[in-house]
């Protein structure tokens, strides 16, 4: 699959998620097989670019692969400036956010709120595309609400004004993340335009990825929440698409190694205080199937020391491993 001059390793993408797709997580998902990883969205407001949060989001030091940076805003001129700023900072693809349903984003008429105003959508796309020499991509939802699914109209505007790839989450803004994603609109969008279309929403297994590709005719899939605590999903989907067979899930020892590395990288990236706090949500996602009574996560979330977090994880997985060994050992 190609986006502008870039040929991706495969057609699996990590969705941009605020507070999630930071550098440690992007690097991990890339190593786990994602063909493209997209950074968490950056505001087009230059007043916040020097804040600690924005500086962390702009950090791509040592990253491998194509750097795709998502920007969000409602003013065409500021969006153009943000695109230029991020290209100067190393972005090789600029992605425009018109899919975020969060109230704090929508109240500024950014994110998916823009789907209500096709003329503004066009103005923003034109401004950004004309401002940079790198490919510009777009992420949208199927519409503002179920009575106004205008994804096809927005997709045509995007293609006509230079967008080189379109990702579509299979829900309207009003649906937020409730119910099941609908793929009919994505199929209609794919049929209406010739640029690559990426299907997003509820892709949590290799079988679902194949089903969505078949249903929509999309060129690729974008995985968001399905990768939280499960970064090896990219490797599993890729194997399934290539062979039709399921890859054996990683053993506990490998899951521990991945989690330990991820937490250590988060701590190093953000520093001990913020790193300890941010690591908690990732650990919660990784252990959701193991720690069903949430007792470990409750105690883990009270830990304030980075090394103590790692020691607690080691002890927890040792106990899991011992329990698993006892379960598979033949009775004496």
């Amino acid at each position: 699959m190609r986006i502008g001059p870039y040929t991706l390793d495969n057609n699996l993408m990590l969705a941009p998620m605020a507070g999630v797709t930071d550098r440690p997580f992007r690097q991990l998902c890339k190593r786990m097989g994602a063909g493209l990883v997209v950074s968490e969205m950056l505001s087009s407001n230059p007043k916040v670019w020097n804040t600690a949060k924005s500086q962390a989001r702009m950090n791509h030091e040592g990253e491998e692969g194509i750097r795709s940076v998502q920007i969000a805003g409602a003013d065409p001129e500021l969006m153009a400036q943000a695109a230029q700023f991020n290209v100067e900072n190393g972005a090789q693809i600029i992605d425009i956010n018109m899919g975020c349903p969060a109230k704090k984003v929508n109240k500024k008429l950014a994110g998916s709120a823009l789907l209500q105003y096709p003329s503004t959508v066009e103005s923003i796309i034109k401004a950004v595309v004309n401002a940079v020499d790198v490919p510009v991509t777009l992420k949208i939802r199927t519409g503002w609400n179920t009575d106004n699914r205008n994804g096809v109209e927005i997709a045509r505007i995007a293609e006509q004004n230079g967008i080189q790839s379109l990702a579509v989450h299979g829900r309207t803004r009003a649906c937020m993340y409730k119910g099941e994603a609908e793929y009919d609109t994505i199929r209609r969008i794919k049929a209406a335009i010739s640029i690559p279309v990426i299907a997003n929403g509820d892709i949590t297994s290799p079988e679902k990825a194949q089903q969505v590709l078949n249903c929509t005719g999309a060129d690729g899939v974008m995985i968001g929440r399905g990768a939280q605590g499960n970064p090896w999903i990219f490797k599993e989907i890729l194997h399934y698409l290539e062979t039709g067979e399921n890859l054996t899930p990683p053993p506990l020892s490998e899951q521990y190694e991945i989690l330990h590395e991820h937490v250590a990288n988060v701590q190093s990236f953000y520093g001990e205080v913020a790193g300890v706090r941010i690591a908690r949500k990732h650990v919660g996602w990784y252990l959701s199937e193991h720690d069903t009574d949430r007792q470990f996560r409750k105690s883990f979330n009270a830990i304030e020391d980075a090394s103590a977090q790692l020691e607690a994880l080691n002890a927890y997985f040792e106990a899991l491993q011992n329990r698993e060994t006892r379960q598979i050992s033949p009775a004496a």
Side-chain angles (χ1 to χ4, degrees), residues 199-238:
N200 173 232
D202 294 355
I203 299 170
T204 56
S205 70
E207 292 86 352
K208 189 60 177 289
Q210 183 71 77
Q211 175 191 338
V212 170
L213 285 169
N214 292 344
C215 173
T216 63
D219 300 277
V221 291
M222 180 173 274
I223 295 100
R225 289 172 295 162
Q228 294 175 351
N230 185 30
W232 46 83
I233 190 173
F234 295 99
K235 187 183 298 185
E236 293 175 342
I237 292 174
L238 192 60

Side-chain angles (χ1 to χ4, degrees), residues 34-200:
L36 181 71
V37 295
V38 186
S39 74
E40 49 190 331
M41 68 179 180
L42 292 162
S43 171
S44 61
N45 180 1
K47 294 179 181 179
V48 304
W49 292 349
N50 289 321
T51 64
K53 180 184 287 187
S54 292
Q55 287 295 309
R57 290 184 176 188
M58 294 175 188
N59 190 322
H60 296 268
E61 185 178 342
E63 280 194 69
E64 297 181 359
I66 302 160
R67 296 182 183 180
S68 177
V69 175
Q70 187 181 76
I71 59 175
D75 180 271
E77 184 176 345
L78 289 180
M79 288 288 280
Q81 292 174 10
Q84 292 171 335
F85 177 83
N86 282 287
V87 169
E88 291 168 3
N89 197 43
Q92 295 166 291
I93 295 174
I94 293 293
D95 184 62
I96 301 174
N97 182 318
M98 294 188 186
C100 179
K103 288 183 180 180
K104 67 179 181 180
V105 174
N106 282 202
K107 72 180 182 181
K108 299 176 182 178
L109 293 183
S112 57
L114 288 165
L115 301 177
Q116 300 172 96
Y117 310 105
S119 61
T120 304
V121 167
E122 184 169 19
S123 296
I124 290 173
I125 291 171
K126 282 182 176 179
V128 174
V129 168
N130 291 332
V132 294
D133 293 326
V134 304
V136 179
T137 60
L138 176 66
K139 188 165 192 284
I140 66 172
R141 287 188 163 228
T142 56
W144 174 248
N145 56 37
T146 53
D147 294 324
N148 295 279
R149 286 193 175 98
N150 62 340
V152 171
E153 177 189 4
I154 299 297
R156 286 177 172 147
I157 290 171
E159 180 177 39
Q160 290 163 5
N161 290 282
I163 291 297
Q164 302 208 24
S165 176
L166 178 69
V168 187
H169 183 103
R171 288 181 174 87
T172 68
R173 188 275 166 187
C175 294
M176 299 295 285
Y177 296 99
K178 298 174 182 177
E180 295 184 0
E182 50 96 6
Y183 305 111
D184 290 348
T185 305
I186 301 178
R187 184 171 63 246
R188 290 196 295 273
I189 288 171
K190 174 58 186 172
I193 60 176
S194 59
I195 59 175
V197 173
I198 314 303
N200 173 232

